[in-house]
Amino acid sequence: MQEAYKELKFRLAELSHIGAATSLMGWDQQVNMPPGGAEVRGKQMATLAKIGHEKFIDKKVGELLEQLKPMEEEKGYESVEGSVIRLTRRNYNKAVKVPPEFTARAQKAESESFDVWIKARPANDFKRVQPYLQTNFDLSKEYADFFPGYEHPLDPLIDGYEYGMKAAKIREIFSELRKELVPVVESILSQEPEYFSFMKKIFPGDQQIAFGESIIKEFGYDFNRGRQDMAPHPFTQGTSIGDVRITTRVHEDNFSSAMFSTFHEGGHAMYEQGCDTVFEGTPVRGGTSLGVHESQSRLWENVIGRSMPFWKHNYPRLKQHFPEQLADISLDKFYRGINRVERSLIRVEADEVTYNLHVMMRFAFECDVLDGKLAVEELPEAWKDRMESDIGIRPADDKDGVLQDIHWYSGIIGYFQCYTLGNIMCSQFYDAALKAHPEITDEIGQGKYDTLHNWLKEKIYQHGHRYTANELLKNITGDELTIKPYMNYIKTKYGELYDLL
Amino acid sequence: MQEAYKELKFRLAELSHIGAATSLMGWDQQVNMPPGGAEVRGKQMATLAKIGHEKFIDKKVGELLEQLKPMEEEKGYESVEGSVIRLTRRNYNKAVKVPPEFTARAQKAESESFDVWIKARPANDFKRVQPYLQTNFDLSKEYADFFPGYEHPLDPLIDGYEYGMKAAKIREIFSELRKELVPVVESILSQEPEYFSFMKKIFPGDQQIAFGESIIKEFGYDFNRGRQDMAPHPFTQGTSIGDVRITTRVHEDNFSSAMFSTFHEGGHAMYEQGCDTVFEGTPVRGGTSLGVHESQSRLWENVIGRSMPFWKHNYPRLKQHFPEQLADISLDKFYRGINRVERSLIRVEADEVTYNLHVMMRFAFECDVLDGKLAVEELPEAWKDRMESDIGIRPADDKDGVLQDIHWYSGIIGYFQCYTLGNIMCSQFYDAALKAHPEITDEIGQGKYDTLHNWLKEKIYQHGHRYTANELLKNITGDELTIKPYMNYIKTKYGELYDLL
């Protein structure tokens, strides 16, 4: 039995090394790769994906899993061995349904699509990337069909990001949230908007980066096991627990963009850096679901990073970096500026309140395209219409509309819901943290994050995939997924900011 | 037959993608990787090396090669297909002799050894890295023994870098060269040395990089298919013909270091960028041997980059980058400065004349360690003694002695001869270029490199591994390897510089 487990671990380590190579190639593609490398890079990544897939679905893996059933039971659900075997089995049962040829084809298509999008977006040229997007949706449907019996074709895709979650459940919770959120959005947006001219001033890029990095270092991001680089789209990419990198991009006339993206990706990265090293080289490494992952990035970006206690402590420091730009700006004005709610076009720049409407729209479009209710070529107009009706602003072009997100153009479909699920779970987790350690709020006001970071590490980070999102929620909060803490957070914070109470 | 060739090409492409992943991981390890990634990175690279090896020695590859014999003959030696099949067979016949387990073990050891060396060198701590170096030499011997019947254990190692070359032949040509070179070195070093204080002035790093990059762009290095980064040791790494990267490092008090390393690596990279794209994804891509590779880097670094015509044109431009540092320095003084011959400790900083003595010493040590005539632990003292007797200067510590080169500590043994072989072949090739296009010297004086670059592309670059080093020499110069053109170059250039004539 021990031999079989050792053999399984050896094979899993190999798979994780192949996965790490693909991760590094993907990171490099966005951070360093010269344009001439693009064509072959797609093929390289496709080959690695195919080899990884082939090695994983080797029938020897199935045999080992069969042999290891007694060990899994004996060691128990929460044990390291139990978790490794369970996770492997879960992934294996899915992977054997997908032909390696498909994996390679999809990987190649995604890589090519990404390369076209990178040029099509600045050129505002949806037509150019449309056939690639069509292919990506077609591949998603093809993938879903490897799992017949689904309620909705998006379900098998969602399952890869949010284990056990279904489109129907998301619809239900989104509709509940929408009902609560829309009146808040409406009453805020009906007010005369306050103007924050300092938000548009020029903030030198190097100072933006210096400030953001000094903050996430204090949060607990370990630069000895990571780094931050520039990329067109911020993301986190880990190749091992010892190497979890983040990216950002700088807009000198919008300082909040890089800063909050650094806090956000820092949150993702701390989650992956905090995994118990016993899970290195196994599928248990990483974050358990994208929703939980987002709960961690949003915690540091929004709940901490846009809070009054945080800025009470850090605003003087920010002013040292930008003495002229912030000279006449009071803490209170600054706080209102970084938390202003407005009609905006770009999801990643949207405020906390309208953000979820951006997400719901994307999720609805994915459902509709896969249902055949909406054609890919209709997306640009549908996008504009929905933005107008939901947020009250119509994009002038596709660059700030349907072309804005990297996801679909990288073949990532069935993913967007995680951002809103993350918001919801974030509030559930944070309420639990405050209940256990009411001193956290005061500590944040003193620039101390140890209590919170350690609590997160103990309750969430270290476990990797050991517990599902639902199990984590149950273990930590005693509750299922519920929007109450999140709506409470929104209503309290924005109720004060906009005198809604 | 066409089917078999297609199948072979498919497999070779997969192998090249795996190789590219390993290359990228190696590049990243030296350029970007945070320290925390080191441990797992070694394992990741070992896994990829093992998978690549296993896939290559698959008996299906042997069968395909057998099937393709008629095609190879029919298409002919110089054809694309003939070259792909021949190179694959040559590599296959070697690879099947080496167990994949060995490849993985060696890869892992090399990676670990590199990580220890990176710390041991600045700490001047040979003892710390000695066991790793021992392992690397032991692994080399183990590798050699997979090829019984060698004349010298270094032969199978050399063969991987310089196909068909043997230690005995290198000894012969080195001894011939030594006989000619030592009197030149002695008569130069017996002269009162001229002092070049400007060489030690502070040259801002960003300006060093800007100048170096602008020059290699003119040489013909394509930044759309490459990039330059900082690394502890300059190197060139390609993952495809469309992505060939170089690295350098900057010493602000030694401007010539980064500049000539950029010219040097630019030469390597142009060779790889110039390969016919028909060879992408096949073992024919790349440079045919390390000697030929070095001939190309040294051509741009030394023969062009340290020549009077080059600097007649470019010195005014360099002065624009460094107006204060070079204010009172005449072109003639500058030219003598960058070509000064002196007793120096560091191979990569050594002048053209003494350089080969550094190489011969390393080659002799490799022979002696593998022959059992010298123990690894004796290397530090042997190094110091030989430096004293050969170059007339004794290193004060191991940092500037046995620890200075990355090669042995990365498991690269049987490699050093290529630098001197490169010098020799470089002069042979360049003489042929001048014979075909006597206008090249004038063109260099006008900052034009097209004629030379195109000639190199046509005669050398495009062929990748199609021809061996010897075949290239024969085809291009009509000659075998001979030191005459090189000694002629040295005697002419340094005869003038040091009034030896």
Side-chain angles (χ1 to χ4, degrees):
Chain A
M1 192 70 71
Q2 277 303 332
E3 273 310 300
Y5 186 68
K6 212 176 137 193
E7 163 83 14
L8 183 72
K9 284 259 297 197
F10 178 81
R11 286 171 177 262
L12 292 174
E14 281 202 343
L15 289 167
S16 88
H17 300 157
I18 298 167
T22 318
S23 290
L24 184 67
M25 284 196 154
W27 174 84
D28 181 77
Q29 189 178 38
Q30 294 187 53
V31 173
N32 289 312
M33 191 184 68
E39 195 195 329
V40 178
R41 177 59 52 87
K43 296 178 189 165
Q44 292 163 343
M45 292 174 72
T47 293
L48 289 178
K50 177 170 159 275
I51 291 173
H53 192 158
E54 279 170 354
K55 283 196 162 275
F56 187 40
I57 61 171
D58 188 314
K59 64 173 192 268
K60 180 75 189 163
V61 175
E63 288 164 20
L64 288 168
L65 286 169
E66 205 53 41
Q67 273 175 267
L68 286 165
K69 270 186 176 163
M71 182 193 247
E72 186 183 355
E73 267 175 40
E74 188 203 314
K75 295 275 182 180
Y77 189 92
E78 306 205 345
S79 69
V80 169
E81 295 86 347
S83 302
V84 169
I85 299 168
R86 182 175 68 254
L87 255 290
T88 306
R89 173 172 294 113
R90 184 200 291 170
N91 296 344
Y92 181 79
N93 288 342
K94 278 200 222 178
V96 289
K97 298 203 171 81
V98 184
E101 170 280 324
F102 173 84
T103 314
R105 187 154 44 91
Q107 179 81 52
K108 185 157 169 287
E110 287 161 12
S111 188
E112 286 168 0
S113 171
F114 169 80
D115 287 325
V116 175
W117 170 73
I118 275 285
K119 289 164 220 140
R121 192 192 169 193
N124 190 38
D125 189 355
F126 178 77
K127 280 283 165 216
R128 187 166 167 194
V129 76
Q130 185 188 313
Y132 296 88
L133 183 58
Q134 183 70 54
T135 301
N136 291 345
F137 270 104
D138 292 346
L139 286 165
S140 288
K141 184 64 174 41
E142 198 179 334
Y143 177 86
D145 290 340
F146 295 132
F147 302 87
Y150 51 73
E151 290 169 32
H152 190 280
L154 207 55
D155 287 350
L157 298 156
I158 294 169
D159 200 74
Y161 303 122
E162 202 70 32
Y163 175 68
M165 184 56 80
K166 301 245 185 306
K169 172 74 185 165
I170 295 166
R171 276 184 172 148
E172 179 192 318
I173 205 146
F174 277 12
S175 124
E176 208 182 315
L177 183 63
R178 194 177 170 89
K179 213 177 296 168
E180 297 260 348
L181 210 52
V182 167
V184 179
V185 171
E186 278 173 358
S187 58
I188 293 175
L189 292 183
S190 67
Q191 294 183 20
E192 189 64 31
E194 188 177 357
Y195 190 59
F196 301 98
S197 60
F198 76 90
M199 300 285 294
K200 306 264 176 206
K201 281 188 187 160
I202 297 299
F203 286 63
D206 56 342
Q207 291 297 308
Q208 290 191 34
I209 296 299
F211 177 77
E213 293 192 347
S214 74
I215 292 293
I216 60 169
K217 210 168 166 178
E218 292 181 6
F219 284 169
Y221 177 70
D222 181 356
F223 275 92
N224 271 318
R225 297 186 290 136
R227 50 183 287 135
Q228 180 169 253
D229 293 271
M230 296 298 127
H233 196 95
F235 66 97
T236 298
Q237 188 77 279
T239 61
S240 69
I241 295 168
D243 184 1
V244 186
R245 306 178 188 186
I246 61 176
T247 67
T248 188
R249 39 134 182 57
V250 167
H251 302 301
E252 296 215 316
D253 60 351
N254 178 4
F255 76 93
S256 70
S257 171
M259 182 173 79
F260 289 114
S261 116
T262 299
F263 297 176
H264 180 99
E265 301 304 330
H268 280 303
M270 287 189 284
Y271 186 6
E272 304 229 338
Q273 286 185 335
C275 186
D276 190 331
T277 53
V278 77
F279 293 129
E280 183 66 62
T282 81
V284 189
R285 173 171 80 83
T288 191
S289 81
L290 289 188
V292 177
H293 236 306
E294 281 299 316
S295 79
Q296 296 312 299
S297 55
R298 268 137 213 286
L299 179 61
W300 296 98
E301 177 194 355
N302 292 332
V303 179
I304 312 297
R306 294 188 204 258
S307 74
M308 189 45 113
F310 175 83
W311 284 111
K312 257 192 187 140
H313 181 75
N314 287 302
Y315 189 54
R317 193 161 138 197
L318 186 71
K319 275 187 143 178
Q320 284 173 9
H321 284 269
F322 306 106
E324 282 172 36
Q325 292 85 343
L326 299 172
D328 309 320
I329 312 300
S330 69
L331 169 61
D332 203 59
K333 178 93 185 173
F334 177 81
Y335 176 69
R336 290 201 311 280
I338 59 166
N339 285 298
R340 79 204 173 285
V341 178
E342 57 183 5
R343 295 179 180 88
S344 68
L345 294 172
I346 306 296
R347 176 184 58 85
V348 295
E349 312 287 354
D351 55 84
E352 286 186 273
V353 184
T354 59
Y355 187 94
N356 300 296
L357 299 175
H358 290 264
V359 169
M360 291 173 189
M361 172 179 84
R362 285 155 176 79
F363 174 73
F365 285 153
E366 289 178 344
C367 289
D368 289 350
V369 172
L370 286 176
D371 273 342
K373 288 181 196 147
L374 186 69
V376 166
E377 62 175 358
E378 292 170 323
L379 275 169
E381 279 309 297
W383 190 289
K384 288 176 184 167
D385 294 346
R386 172 94 178 228
M387 279 297 290
E388 195 163 3
S389 67
D390 261 23
I391 320 252
I393 179 171
R394 190 176 181 85
D397 54 31
D398 295 331
K399 185 159 59 74
D400 291 343
V402 70
L403 284 171
Q404 72 181 259
D405 292 301
I406 193 176
H407 304 64
W408 293 346
Y409 306 97
S410 313
I412 299 170
I413 290 161
Y415 183 110
F416 278 114
Q417 71 283 341
C418 74
Y419 298 113
T420 289
L421 296 179
N423 283 331
I424 296 168
M425 290 194 258
C426 172
S427 289
Q428 292 187 263
F429 291 137
Y430 193 58
D431 279 6
L434 289 180
K435 205 169 154 193
H437 299 284
E439 69 274 23
I440 284 175
T441 313
D442 281 350
E443 288 182 4
I444 289 168
Q446 298 152 34
K448 291 181 190 160
Y449 312 97
D450 282 8
T451 306
L452 177 59
H453 191 168
N454 288 335
W455 184 88
L456 291 167
K457 199 169 169 186
E458 185 202 329
K459 299 289 180 189
I460 301 175
Y461 296 177
Q462 64 161 322
H463 300 299
H465 284 266
R466 189 200 310 251
Y467 303 113
T468 66
N470 254 333
E471 286 165 354
L472 278 183
L473 282 172
K474 276 259 178 84
N475 294 348
I476 296 170
T477 72
D479 237 332
E480 304 267 340
L481 186 69
T482 160
I483 66 165
K484 268 183 218 138
Y486 179 61
M487 278 316 303
N488 187 36
Y489 163 74
I490 290 289
K491 283 182 180 165
T492 308
K493 179 172 175 181
Y494 291 90
E496 278 173 22
L497 274 161
Y498 285 90
D499 273 331
L500 303 179
L501 306 174
Chain B
M1 193 70 71
Q2 277 303 334
E3 272 311 300
Y5 186 67
K6 211 175 138 193
E7 163 83 14
L8 184 72
K9 283 262 297 202
F10 177 81
R11 285 170 178 263
L12 293 174
E14 282 201 343
L15 290 166
S16 89
H17 300 156
I18 298 167
T22 318
S23 290
L24 183 68
M25 284 195 153
W27 174 85
D28 181 78
Q29 190 178 37
Q30 295 187 52
V31 174
N32 290 313
M33 192 184 68
E39 195 195 330
V40 178
R41 177 58 53 87
K43 296 178 190 166
Q44 291 163 344
M45 292 174 71
T47 293
L48 289 179
K50 178 170 157 278
I51 291 173
H53 192 157
E54 280 170 353
K55 283 196 163 274
F56 187 40
I57 62 171
D58 188 314
K59 64 173 191 271
K60 180 73 188 162
V61 175
E63 288 165 18
L64 287 168
L65 286 169
E66 206 52 42
Q67 274 175 266
L68 286 166
K69 271 186 176 165
M71 182 192 247
E72 188 183 354
E73 268 175 42
E74 188 204 316
K75 295 275 182 182
Y77 189 91
E78 306 205 345
S79 69
V80 170
E81 295 86 349
S83 302
V84 169
I85 299 167
R86 181 176 67 256
L87 256 291
T88 306
R89 173 172 294 114
R90 183 200 292 170
N91 296 344
Y92 181 79
N93 288 342
K94 279 200 221 177
V96 290
K97 298 204 168 81
V98 184
E101 170 279 324
F102 173 84
T103 313
R105 187 154 45 89
Q107 178 81 52
K108 184 156 171 287
E110 288 162 13
S111 188
E112 285 167 2
S113 171
F114 169 81
D115 287 326
V116 175
W117 171 75
I118 275 286
K119 289 164 220 137
R121 193 193 169 193
N124 191 37
D125 189 354
F126 179 77
K127 280 282 165 220
R128 186 165 167 195
V129 75
Q130 186 188 313
Y132 295 88
L133 183 58
Q134 183 69 56
T135 301
N136 291 346
F137 270 104
D138 292 347
L139 286 165
S140 288
K141 184 63 175 44
E142 197 179 336
Y143 176 87
D145 289 341
F146 296 132
F147 302 87
Y150 51 71
E151 289 168 33
H152 191 282
L154 208 55
D155 287 350
L157 298 156
I158 294 169
D159 200 72
Y161 303 123
E162 202 70 32
Y163 176 67
M165 184 56 81
K166 301 241 184 310
K169 171 73 184 165
I170 295 166
R171 274 181 175 149
E172 181 193 315
I173 206 145
F174 278 11
S175 125
E176 208 182 315
L177 182 63
R178 195 178 169 89
K179 215 177 296 168
E180 297 262 348
L181 210 52
V182 166
V184 180
V185 172
E186 279 173 1
S187 58
I188 293 175
L189 292 181
S190 67
Q191 296 183 19
E192 190 64 33
E194 188 177 357
Y195 189 59
F196 302 97
S197 61
F198 75 92
M199 299 286 294
K200 306 265 177 204
K201 281 188 186 159
I202 297 299
F203 286 63
D206 55 343
Q207 291 296 310
Q208 290 191 35
I209 295 299
F211 178 77
E213 293 192 347
S214 74
I215 292 291
I216 59 169
K217 209 168 166 180
E218 292 181 5
F219 284 169
Y221 177 69
D222 181 357
F223 274 93
N224 270 318
R225 296 186 292 136
R227 49 183 287 135
Q228 180 169 256
D229 293 271
M230 296 298 127
H233 196 94
F235 66 96
T236 298
Q237 188 77 278
T239 62
S240 69
I241 295 168
D243 183 2
V244 186
R245 306 177 187 187
I246 61 175
T247 67
T248 188
R249 39 132 182 59
V250 167
H251 303 303
E252 296 215 317
D253 61 351
N254 178 5
F255 77 92
S256 69
S257 171
M259 183 172 78
F260 289 115
S261 115
T262 299
F263 297 175
H264 181 99
E265 302 303 332
H268 280 304
M270 286 189 286
Y271 187 6
E272 304 229 338
Q273 286 185 335
C275 186
D276 190 330
T277 53
V278 77
F279 293 129
E280 183 65 65
T282 80
V284 189
R285 173 171 80 82
T288 191
S289 81
L290 289 187
V292 177
H293 235 307
E294 281 299 315
S295 79
Q296 296 312 299
S297 55
R298 269 138 212 284
L299 178 61
W300 296 99
E301 177 195 356
N302 292 332
V303 179
I304 312 297
R306 294 187 205 259
S307 73
M308 188 46 112
F310 175 83
W311 285 110
K312 257 192 188 141
H313 181 76
N314 287 301
Y315 190 53
R317 193 161 137 197
L318 185 72
K319 276 188 141 175
Q320 284 173 7
H321 284 270
F322 306 106
E324 283 171 35
Q325 292 85 342
L326 299 172
D328 308 322
I329 311 302
S330 69
L331 169 62
D332 204 58
K333 178 94 184 171
F334 177 81
Y335 176 70
R336 290 202 311 279
I338 59 167
N339 284 297
R340 79 205 173 286
V341 177
E342 58 185 5
R343 296 178 180 89
S344 68
L345 295 171
I346 306 295
R347 177 184 57 85
V348 295
E349 313 286 353
D351 56 82
E352 286 185 274
V353 184
T354 59
Y355 188 95
N356 300 295
L357 299 174
H358 290 263
V359 168
M360 291 174 189
M361 171 180 85
R362 286 155 175 80
F363 174 75
F365 286 156
E366 289 178 344
C367 288
D368 289 350
V369 172
L370 286 175
D371 272 342
K373 290 181 196 148
L374 187 70
V376 166
E377 62 175 359
E378 292 170 324
L379 274 169
E381 280 308 297
W383 189 289
K384 289 176 185 167
D385 293 346
R386 171 94 179 226
M387 280 297 290
E388 197 165 2
S389 67
D390 260 23
I391 320 253
I393 179 172
R394 191 177 179 85
D397 54 30
D398 295 332
K399 186 158 61 72
D400 291 342
V402 70
L403 285 171
Q404 71 181 259
D405 292 301
I406 193 177
H407 304 64
W408 292 346
Y409 306 96
S410 313
I412 298 170
I413 291 160
Y415 183 110
F416 278 114
Q417 71 283 342
C418 75
Y419 298 114
T420 290
L421 296 180
N423 282 331
I424 296 169
M425 289 194 260
C426 172
S427 290
Q428 292 187 263
F429 292 137
Y430 193 57
D431 279 5
L434 290 180
K435 205 170 152 192
H437 299 283
E439 69 274 24
I440 284 174
T441 313
D442 282 349
E443 287 182 3
I444 289 168
Q446 298 153 32
K448 291 180 190 161
Y449 312 97
D450 282 7
T451 307
L452 176 58
H453 191 168
N454 288 335
W455 184 89
L456 292 167
K457 198 167 171 192
E458 185 203 328
K459 300 289 179 187
I460 301 175
Y461 296 176
Q462 64 160 322
H463 300 299
H465 285 265
R466 190 200 310 251
Y467 303 112
T468 67
N470 255 330
E471 286 164 355
L472 277 183
L473 282 172
K474 277 259 180 87
N475 294 348
I476 295 170
T477 73
D479 237 331
E480 303 268 336
L481 188 69
T482 162
I483 65 165
K484 268 182 219 141
Y486 179 61
M487 279 314 303
N488 188 35
Y489 163 75
I490 291 288
K491 283 180 181 167
T492 307
K493 178 172 177 181
Y494 292 90
E496 279 173 20
L497 274 161
Y498 286 90
D499 273 332
L500 304 180
L501 305 174

